[in-house]
Amino acid sequence: MHDLKLFSGNANRVLGKSIADYLGVPLGKISLGRFPDGEISCKIDEDVRGRDVFLIQPTSPPVNESLMELLVMIDSCLRASAERITTVIPYFGYARQDRKDEGRVPITAKLVANLITRAGADRVLTMDLHAPQIQGFFDVPVDHLYAAPVLNEHFLTSGIDLDEVVIVSPDEGSIKRALGHAKRLGGKVAIIDKRRLGPDTTVQANILGGPIEGKVALMFDDMISTAGSILGAARVLHEHNVKEIHVAVTHPVLCGPAVERLREAELASLVCTDSIPLQPDHILPHFRILPVAPLLGEAIKRIHRNESVSKLFR
């Protein structure tokens, strides 16, 4: 591992340090600051010439700051003659607009992919993209990790009676995710019938599948943003008299009214990973935060050694 260099931006330095500890390598020295007008300054404070460099930076809120910081870091390493630059992006922002669903709108997922590639990244390591097809937007290799094994292991060891479990998909787009978790955890699959009334308004009215009365509902999704969908789904589940509700997501974005809505949803637990740092005032008593440093660290080790990453999920 002597040729490997690991650097972290400011978006999630705790995760960067945890990955470095898992790999048994020091976190690289880098100076990131701001000029008086707010422009980002960067200097790599150690030699990276001919090295295999990994840059850890989720593009989480503040998204524009995190993204620009990542681009500046890539350019710094490129101009310092790094042999290979891999961007480790646990959470990939700007992923919601991944297609043109109406006229005169951008495809921002492709735009950001282009920015990262043109800046000089040779490879991308990411986790639970909002839409899997975003992998194809990059003109460099993409290793797409899944947090499902981490989330499943939590429930397998949590003491929940899996004979009482029903896996709930919060909308039709998450059916495949729910089926994957059901294959590992067991239980039937139910689907929330979600209708979109406007750009920011949805309504959940019915449940497809069941019966779910008296069951323990486990609901999985890739992220929680404003928690509107989770709150609506929780209301429908409570109306159908489920025993308790557990929600598991990979990325706890939690913006706007999300925290208040999660209080209102009356969840037994909300399980998430540390792909995004949570503000202390956003952490509720029923939150369970799972580390993903071992998963990311093992993927980094395999990429560095030119070994298979897909074997992690077999």
Side-chain angles (χ1 to χ4, degrees), residues 82-286:
E83 177 68 23
R84 181 174 67 174
I85 302 170
T86 301
T87 56
V88 182
I89 312 174
Y91 168 71
F92 182 78
Y94 277 110
R96 291 179 182 85
Q97 289 185 293
D98 58 348
R99 64 195 184 281
K100 285 195 68 171
D101 53 359
E102 58 181 318
R104 299 179 298 281
V105 297
I107 304 178
T108 52
K110 174 58 174 171
L111 171 64
V112 172
N114 285 344
L115 288 171
I116 292 170
T117 304
R118 299 294 173 85
D122 298 298
R123 194 176 195 96
V124 174
L125 173 62
T126 188
M127 185 169 63
D128 279 336
L129 290 167
H130 189 59
Q133 65 265 23
I134 293 174
Q135 297 174 72
F137 293 174
F138 289 90
D139 295 326
V140 295
V142 175
D143 291 296
H144 187 205
L145 305 182
Y146 301 93
V150 178
L151 300 175
N152 288 339
E153 185 63 26
H154 168 79
F155 289 111
L156 287 170
T157 58
S158 65
I160 294 175
D161 186 354
L162 296 180
D163 292 332
E164 296 185 350
V165 160
V166 58
I167 309 298
V168 178
S169 174
D171 52 45
E172 293 85 348
S174 299
I175 295 175
K176 186 175 181 181
R177 184 190 308 274
L179 290 172
H181 288 285
K183 185 178 181 181
R184 182 71 178 90
L185 299 174
K188 295 182 178 180
V189 174
I191 305 163
I192 303 290
D193 179 20
K194 184 174 80 170
R195 310 290 176 88
R196 184 167 291 278
L197 303 180
D200 302 311
T201 307
T202 59
V203 60
Q204 292 86 355
N206 305 304
I207 294 181
L208 309 178
I212 64 170
E213 184 174 348
K215 296 286 188 178
V216 176
L218 304 185
M219 187 157 40
F220 295 89
D221 212 344
D222 65 313
M223 61 185 285
I224 290 182
S225 181
T226 61
S229 296
I230 294 297
L231 176 59
R235 285 173 175 168
V236 174
L237 291 172
H238 284 306
E239 289 171 1
H240 284 74
N241 300 314
V242 297
K243 185 177 179 180
E244 57 188 30
I245 303 171
H246 300 265
V247 173
V249 299
T250 304
H251 310 298
V253 180
L254 301 188
C255 55
V259 175
E260 290 303 318
R261 286 174 173 174
L262 291 174
R263 284 197 183 97
E264 187 180 343
E266 298 180 5
L267 306 176
S269 73
L270 188 143
V271 182
C272 61
T273 76
D274 58 353
S275 66
I276 295 175
L278 280 172
Q279 300 297 324
D281 58 342
H282 285 179
I283 301 176
L284 300 178
H286 61 281

Side-chain angles (χ1 to χ4, degrees), residues 20-55:
D21 290 343
Y22 176 84
L23 293 172
V25 300
L27 197 60
K29 298 176 182 178
I30 183 171
S31 298
L32 288 164
R34 298 293 184 272
F35 291 107
D37 60 355
E39 293 179 3
I40 295 170
S41 65
C42 175
K43 182 182 179 183
I44 309 296
D45 292 324
E46 52 188 87
D47 183 23
V48 296
R49 182 180 295 272
R51 301 299 184 93
D52 193 8
V53 174
F54 292 80
L55 303 176

